[in-house]
Structure formats: C-alpha cells, structure tokens
C-alpha cells in the first residue's frame, strides 16, 4: 500500500520541520506528496524541490489524506480546519483527542508526542489513537513516527502527558544533569570548554550504549554499585539522597503544565 499524501500545519516551525525532514529523509514520503502550511505560505527547501507550500489549511486538507498538526497548543482553536473525512495526527502538547476532534471535525485522531530530535531520526514518539482510527490509520502513524526515531502505541491517552515532560524536551532534563556535571568539573579548576567537552562525550557514549543494549537503566547502576569502585561511592549517595525525589518533583511540575497548556 502506498503512503498517503501528508500535510503538516506548522511544518516550518521547529518541531514540524524536524518531522518533515525526517519523513523525507527516510523516504517515507516524497516531496510531491508533502504539503506544508504556514502563515506566509512560502518555503524553499533546496534538498527537496517539489514540496507544496500554502497559507491556507483548507487547501492543504483538500489535497492530503493525512494531516499533522504541529503548531503551539494555544493556536488549536485558530487553525480554522474543517476536515471530517481526514486522518488528523497531532504533536501539540496538551491538546486532547476530544479537543482535536472538536477543532477539526474528524473522529479519526491520533495524538502523539515527539521532539525536534526527529530531524536526526532520534526522537521518541509515543502515540494514542481514537476509537474511530482504523488499522490503516495506525499503520500510517507507526510508519511516520518510526521515520522520526523510536515509537510505541500507548493504551491510555493520559500517559502522553508523562512523555511530554520526559522525552518531549530534548535535551531537556538530560541537559540539566549535564549542567550539574560540568559545573562540578569547572569548580575543580578545569576550563569550561574542557568540562563541556567531557560531559558531552559522556552523555553521547552513555546514550549510545544504553540505546544499543536491551537492559534496564537500573541494571547499569546496580552493576556499578556491586563492583564497589569509585563510582559506587557516588551512586550510593545519590540513591540514598533526595536527588530522585527532586527530579520526580520537577517532572511532576512539567506534567501538570502539559495537562493545562491547551486550556
């Protein structure tokens, strides 16, 4: 089965353009079957000539079988999209399936969360489908978000707000951890450039190893503690201290914001 034509409303914004480049780069869609709507209706991507640009969401809806909404959540009511017979996908933080159905008139809605890392095929994009979404709709969503990185279908829509906080921001909370590590190295007298380089390489190596090995993150911590070397001394302090609770508190604040951002 061929891939349907895809329209992205907000396709020149940070997230929308990242997803567009991901699906084009993966060959999931060809430029002539991609429509992008933005305020100006203009765009020029030399690597992919043939993309259709428009300022009119209605024109995009007439031309595309699937429509991806990638605009800020406060713009949902201002899109002016009436597409009752189209598949609607959304990566808008906080916008619920019910709100998306009301705003677009379509019962076939797939709500997802992704990140600008999609442009490098490194995003994690979980998604939830409305009951009216067909098996073909789900297959389309699975293929689209697989082009952006890793993906999973979730059973409960409420869990998307968790991932809005945890994996939606990139580098997000990982950047805060990196900031703490770099600050410690700098306080020891190292130059800021050296500290940043060392920490970036640490996170690159750690993320690559954990991505390539099917092991829970906790198993790495347990193994280092069991080895009882220098790292174990530090990890015991962090596990026994308030760090995990403070991180959970920060994540809870982000989740709470995600659940009210589209109001």
């Amino acid at each position: 089965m061929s891939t349907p034509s895809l329209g992205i409303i907000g396709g020149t914004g940070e997230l929308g353009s990242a997803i567009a480049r991901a699906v084009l780069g993966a060959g999931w869609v060809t430029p002539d079957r991609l429509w992008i709507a933005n305020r100006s209706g203009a765009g020029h991507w030399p690597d992919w000539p043939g993309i259709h640009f428009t300022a009119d969401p209605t024109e995009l809806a007439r031309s595309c079988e699937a429509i991806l909404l990638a605009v800020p959540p406060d713009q949902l009511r201002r899109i002016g999209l009436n597409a009752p017979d189209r598949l609607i996908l959304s990566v808008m933080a906080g916008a619920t399936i019910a709100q998306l159905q009301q705003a677009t008139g379509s019962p076939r809605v797939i709500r997802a969360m992704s990140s600008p890392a999609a442009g490098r095929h490194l995003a994690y994009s979980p998604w939830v489908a409305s009951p009216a979404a067909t098996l073909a709709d789900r297959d389309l969503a699975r293929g689209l978000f697989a082009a952006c990185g890793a993906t999973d279908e979730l059973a409960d829509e409420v869990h998307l707000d968790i991932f809005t906080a945890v994996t939606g921001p990139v580098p997000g909370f990982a950047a805060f951890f990196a900031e703490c590590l770099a600050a410690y190295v700098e306080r020891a007298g190292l130059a800021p450039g050296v500290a940043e380089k060392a920490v970036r390489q640490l996170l690159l190596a750690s993320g690559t190893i954990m991505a390539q090995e099917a092991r829970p993150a906790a198993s790495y911590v347990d193994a280092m503690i069991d080895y009882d070397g220098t790292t174990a001394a530090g990890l015991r302090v962090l596990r026994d201290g308030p760090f995990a609770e403070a991180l959970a508190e920060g994540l809870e604040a982000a989740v709470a914001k995600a659940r009210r951002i589209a109001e």
Side-chain angles (χ1 to χ4, degrees):
M1 183 181 67
S2 61
T3 303
S5 51
L6 174 68
I8 304 179
I9 297 179
T12 52
E14 184 179 18
L15 180 54
S17 63
I19 293 175
R21 293 176 189 279
V23 295
L24 287 165
W28 186 84
V29 70
T30 54
D32 61 300
R33 301 180 75 181
L34 177 64
W35 283 72
I36 291 178
N38 57 26
R39 291 178 181 176
S40 68
H44 177 60
W45 292 6
D47 291 342
W48 292 290
I51 297 173
H52 306 277
F53 290 91
T54 181
D56 184 2
T58 301
E59 181 186 19
L60 179 146
R62 285 198 301 264
S63 305
C64 301
E65 300 167 73
I67 302 168
L68 175 68
L69 304 181
V71 296
D74 62 355
Q75 294 185 23
L76 177 59
R77 295 178 180 86
R78 288 180 258 165
I79 292 174
L81 178 66
N82 182 35
D85 58 347
R86 296 294 190 256
L87 169 63
I88 303 297
L89 303 105
S90 169
V91 289
M92 301 172 66
T96 66
I97 287 175
Q99 289 172 324
L100 292 162
Q101 289 173 325
Q102 183 178 15
T104 65
S106 175
R108 296 162 51 216
V109 169
I110 291 178
R111 179 187 168 195
M113 176 45 55
S114 191
S115 81
R120 304 184 186 196
H121 310 288
L122 292 175
Y124 177 65
S125 307
W127 53 275
V128 176
S130 69
T134 66
L135 288 177
D137 293 338
R138 287 175 162 85
D139 285 342
L140 183 147
R142 194 171 290 110
L144 188 158
F145 292 119
C148 299
T151 186
D152 284 304
E153 180 178 5
L154 306 181
D156 193 334
E157 181 181 3
V158 74
H159 291 155
L160 278 178
D161 295 321
I162 304 294
F163 289 107
T164 301
V166 176
T167 59
V170 175
F173 288 92
F176 176 74
F177 185 65
E179 178 188 23
C180 294
L181 290 172
Y184 174 80
V185 175
E186 288 179 33
R187 286 196 299 270
L190 275 295
V194 173
E196 286 285 341
K197 182 177 181 180
V199 170
R200 288 171 186 266
Q201 194 65 24
L202 167 67
L203 294 184
L204 173 62
S206 301
T208 301
I209 289 169
M210 289 192 291
Q212 293 177 349
E213 298 180 358
R215 291 173 54 187
S219 71
Y220 294 96
V221 179
D222 291 338
M224 286 182 281
I225 289 177
D226 290 343
Y227 183 75
D228 202 24
T230 57
T231 306
L235 289 173
R236 288 193 182 100
V237 171
L238 291 175
R239 269 196 168 175
D240 294 340
F243 179 81
E245 290 184 7
L247 178 58
E249 186 177 347
L251 290 168
E252 282 292 333
V255 171
K257 179 67 176 289
R259 288 176 175 160
R260 64 176 185 269
I261 196 170
E263 294 178 359

